[in-house]
Amino acid sequence: ISNPSPETAVRLQFPDALRGIAVLAMIVFHLCYDLDYFDFLHVDFSGNLFWVIFQKTIVSVFVLVAGISLGLTSRHGIRWHKFWRREVILLGCAAVVSIASYILFPGSWIFFGILHFMALASVLALPFVRLGLMNVLLGGLIIGLPWLVSHPVFNITALQWLGLNEVVVNTKDYTPFLPWFGVMLMGVFWGSQIEI
C-alpha cells in the first residue's frame, strides 16, 4: 500500500482543534466587545489584565496554527494554487475590513489587523520553512525585538505595521509584524516536527 498523497492524506486533528478553540474564544471576545460597545456590558478591554491576556492568547493561537499549517504543508511541497488563492482571499478580506472600519470608525480604523498580518506573514515565512530548529531561535529573537528596539520614527501610521513604534495610534485591531512573526516561525518549526 502506497503512502497517501498530500491530496488524500488524513487531516491532523490537533491543528484543527487548536484553530477551533481559537475561533470559539474569538466569538466570546467579540460578543463581549459588542455588548460593551452597545452599553449592555461594561468592560475595560485595554486596562483589564484578563482581557488583554485573553486577546493576546487568541491571536497567538491563530498565528501559531498558521505557522504549524505552513510547516506541515511544506513537507510535501506547497500547492501553490491553493496558497495564492488563500492569499487573495486574505488580502480581499483585509481590504474590506480596512475600508469598512474607516467608514464606520475613521478615528480608529484598522490599518494593520490580524488579516493584514496573516497575508503578509504567510508569504514572508516561506523562506523559513526549511530552517528547522533555527526557527525557534529566530522566533524568540523576533518576539523580543520590539521590547529591545523601538524608535519614534516608527510612530507614523505608515510604519506602525512593523511593530517598532513607541506609540500606537487608536485602532480597533492591531497585529504588528513584530513580534507576531516570531510566533509564526515557532509554529513553522512545530509543524515541521509533528509526526504524520
Side-chain angles (χ1 to χ4, degrees), residues 29-43:
F29 181 87
H30 279 285
L31 175 63
C32 294
Y33 187 92
D34 291 344
L35 289 173
D36 177 72
Y37 181 79
F38 290 107
D39 285 330
F40 291 108
L41 192 69
H42 299 288
V43 178

Side-chain angles (χ1 to χ4, degrees), residues 45-93:
F45 289 98
S46 60
N48 186 301
L49 189 59
F50 168 80
W51 289 104
V52 171
I53 292 173
F54 188 46
Q55 181 190 28
K56 300 300 183 192
T57 301
I58 295 168
V59 174
S60 296
V61 173
F62 271 120
V63 173
L64 188 69
V65 171
I68 290 171
S69 298
L70 185 59
L72 283 167
T73 59
S74 65
R75 291 185 188 184
H76 300 290
I78 295 172
R79 293 186 289 178
W80 292 108
H81 66 285
K82 285 195 170 188
F83 179 85
W84 291 118
R85 183 179 67 187
R86 177 181 174 273
E87 280 297 302
V88 169
I89 292 170
L90 278 172
L91 287 170
C93 291

Side-chain angles (χ1 to χ4, degrees), residues 66-137:
I68 290 171
S69 298
L70 185 59
L72 283 167
T73 59
S74 65
R75 291 185 188 184
H76 300 290
I78 295 172
R79 293 186 289 178
W80 292 108
H81 66 285
K82 285 195 170 188
F83 179 85
W84 291 118
R85 183 179 67 187
R86 177 181 174 273
E87 280 297 302
V88 169
I89 292 170
L90 278 172
L91 287 170
C93 291
V96 168
V97 165
S98 288
I99 294 167
S101 65
Y102 187 79
I103 293 169
L104 294 171
F105 313 105
S108 59
W109 68 289
I110 300 169
F111 61 91
F112 201 82
I114 185 68
L115 295 177
H116 305 75
F117 168 81
M118 287 291 195
L120 178 63
S122 296
V123 174
L124 295 185
L126 290 173
F128 295 86
V129 295
R130 300 291 180 210
L131 294 185
L133 190 60
M134 183 65 71
N135 281 322
V136 176
L137 176 60

Side-chain angles (χ1 to χ4, degrees), residues 144-192:
L145 192 61
W147 285 272
L148 300 173
V149 179
S150 62
H151 195 276
V153 73
F154 296 104
N155 288 344
I156 63 171
T157 305
L159 294 179
Q160 287 200 6
W161 66 272
L162 283 168
L164 297 176
N165 44 300
E166 296 180 339
V167 178
V168 180
V169 297
N170 187 23
T171 179
K172 296 292 181 185
D173 180 20
Y174 180 56
T175 311
F177 187 71
L178 305 172
W180 296 107
F181 190 63
V183 177
M184 178 167 276
L185 292 185
M186 296 281 193
V188 168
F189 169 73
W190 195 356
S192 70

